């Protein structure tokens, strides 16, 4: 499925940690709302709890996104799910919990066509987290999944041990980066570029290396149009609405012109 994105002309939108701009990130509510918007992909972050349960949370600690304090890996799953993961964002979201990856997978059963961007956060047990996530997805079409990490060693392991598609980042942003022809870039299918770094020249540089180019996070009309001007149609967004609206408008114009959908099947963004 993800091969549809190869040199794709349509605007393809991933919800960054769900619908992050409007809901508490990496909660089931944020994912549900992103899916209702019609995002083509969900991006989310995985870490292991103290008892080796795969949890959906971005930071190394729970301090920013819950009412707790301390490292994620110092809490058991039950302890993590006692924390409030919604009130920090707004009082009306009080009571939301940190989901397990299993709970997210259960939600995703109702959305079989949605692509997944599974980010493994750097940690001493990141490779274990990656292996656990891959095992849980064993009944999933891996053609719909892309694994992401800022740790080049994790990407290399996923690429070499499992033969799965990975997304990394420019060298200066990665840990354990290995230069050279057989280094980190050779293990990557795609590269994600921050809007702060995005230029047409950088996009061309990575395309010349045979990499698919994504950007993050174009969250308003101006930044979406800038990304398109740089030649990037694959976008991970905190606020998916502008990119989805522009994508649908472009697709309407393209369909009216030639009656063809570049991704095949149902129209996407």
């Amino acid at each position: 499925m993800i091969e549809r994105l190869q040199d794709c002309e349509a605007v393809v939108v991933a919800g960054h940690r769900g619908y992050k701009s409007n809901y508490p990130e990496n909660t089931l509510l944020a994912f549900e709302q992103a899916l209702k918007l019609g995002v083509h992909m969900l991006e989310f972050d995985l870490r292991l709890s103290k008892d080796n349960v795969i949890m959906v949370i971005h930071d190394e600690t729970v301090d920013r996104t819950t009412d707790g304090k301390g490292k994620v890996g110092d809490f058991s799953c039950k302890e993590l799910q006692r924390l409030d993961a919604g009130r920090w964002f707004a009082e009306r979201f009080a009571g939301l919990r940190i989901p397990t990856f299993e709970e997210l997978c259960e939600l995703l059963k109702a959305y079989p066509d949605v692509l997944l961007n599974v980010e493994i956060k750097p940690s001493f047990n990141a490779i274990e987290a990656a292996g656990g996530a891959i095992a849980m997805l064993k009944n999933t079409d891996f053609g719909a999944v892309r694994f992401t990490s800022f740790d080049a060693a994790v990407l290399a392991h996923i690429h070499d041990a499992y033969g799965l598609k990975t997304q990394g980042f420019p060298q200066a942003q990665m840990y354990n980066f290995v230069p050279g022809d057989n280094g980190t870039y050779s293990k990557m299918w795609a590269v994600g570029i921050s809007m702060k770094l995005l230029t047409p020249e950088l996009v061309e540089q990575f395309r010349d290396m045979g990499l698919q180019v994504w950007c993050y996070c174009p969250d308003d009309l101006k930044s979406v149009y800038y990304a398109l001007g740089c030649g990037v149609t694959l976008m991970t967004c905190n606020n998916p609405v502008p990119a989805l609206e522009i994508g649908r408008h472009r697709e309407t114009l393209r369909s009216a012109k030639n009656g063809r959908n570049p991704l095949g099947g149902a129209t996407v963004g």
Side-chain angles (χ1 to χ4, degrees):
M1 292 172 65
I2 209 165
E3 285 80 4
R4 294 182 300 169
L5 307 185
Q6 194 99 10
D7 304 317
C8 180
E9 295 180 1
V11 176
V12 178
V13 182
H16 188 221
R17 308 178 205 170
Y19 191 170
K20 181 178 179 288
S21 64
N22 287 38
Y23 299 90
E25 65 182 62
N26 279 326
T27 60
L28 293 181
L29 178 62
F31 295 128
E32 287 173 338
Q33 295 302 317
L35 292 165
K36 288 179 181 179
L37 281 180
V39 297
H40 313 109
M41 174 182 280
L42 281 185
E43 187 273 350
F44 50 87
D45 309 284
L46 300 184
R47 293 182 178 275
L48 287 177
S49 67
K50 184 178 180 179
D51 50 349
N52 292 318
V53 177
I54 305 174
M55 310 298 297
V56 185
I57 185 169
H58 179 274
D59 294 5
E60 182 180 10
T61 73
V62 299
D63 299 24
R64 180 176 64 87
T65 57
T66 78
D67 58 351
K69 296 287 183 182
K71 292 184 177 181
V72 174
D74 289 340
F75 293 85
S76 69
C77 173
K78 287 185 177 180
E79 290 169 337
L80 287 168
Q81 293 203 301
R82 291 191 194 110
L83 301 176
D84 190 306
R87 184 179 276 113
W88 69 275
F89 193 88
E91 185 63 33
R92 68 182 183 276
F93 297 123
L96 293 179
R97 304 300 176 194
I98 303 170
T100 65
F101 184 41
E102 183 176 10
E103 289 171 330
L104 176 54
C105 288
E106 191 63 29
L107 169 66
L108 289 169
K109 287 180 180 178
Y111 300 89
D113 294 329
V114 171
L115 306 171
L116 305 181
N117 183 354
V118 183
E119 181 168 345
I120 308 298
K121 302 307 294 184
S123 67
F124 74 94
N125 55 9
I127 287 178
E128 295 174 53
I134 291 167
M136 287 184 64
L137 291 169
K138 64 183 179 181
N139 294 322
T140 300
D141 176 7
F142 278 108
V145 183
R146 185 186 67 203
F147 289 87
T148 299
S149 185
F150 282 90
D151 188 336
V154 174
L155 288 189
H157 176 75
I158 294 171
H159 177 276
D160 295 344
Y162 300 98
L164 299 176
K165 285 184 167 59
T166 67
Q167 176 188 291
F169 301 89
Q171 177 176 348
Q173 294 183 274
M174 297 194 73
Y175 303 95
N176 301 314
F177 188 92
V178 178
D181 291 343
N182 297 313
T184 299
Y185 285 138
S186 72
K187 313 290 184 181
M188 290 162 47
W189 179 75
V191 61
I193 304 176
S194 165
M195 291 301 296
K196 295 178 181 179
L197 300 177
L198 188 67
T199 64
E201 294 76 19
L202 191 58
V203 172
E204 184 177 2
Q205 175 186 328
F206 283 118
R207 288 233 171 94
D208 287 344
M209 296 167 60
L211 295 174
Q212 300 300 300
V213 181
W214 284 72
C215 67
Y216 67 96
C217 296
D219 294 326
D220 55 35
L221 294 175
K222 182 179 179 180
S223 58
V224 172
Y225 279 121
Y226 176 75
L228 292 171
C230 291
V232 178
T233 58
L234 311 176
M235 307 178 186
T236 300
C237 304
N238 296 315
N239 179 8
V241 172
L244 286 169
E245 289 181 347
I246 291 172
R248 287 166 183 152
H249 178 65
R250 280 164 53 98
E251 188 57 38
T252 297
L253 294 177
R254 186 181 297 113
S255 297
K257 181 178 180 180
N258 57 30
R260 184 177 63 89
N261 175 7
L263 290 184
T267 299
V268 295

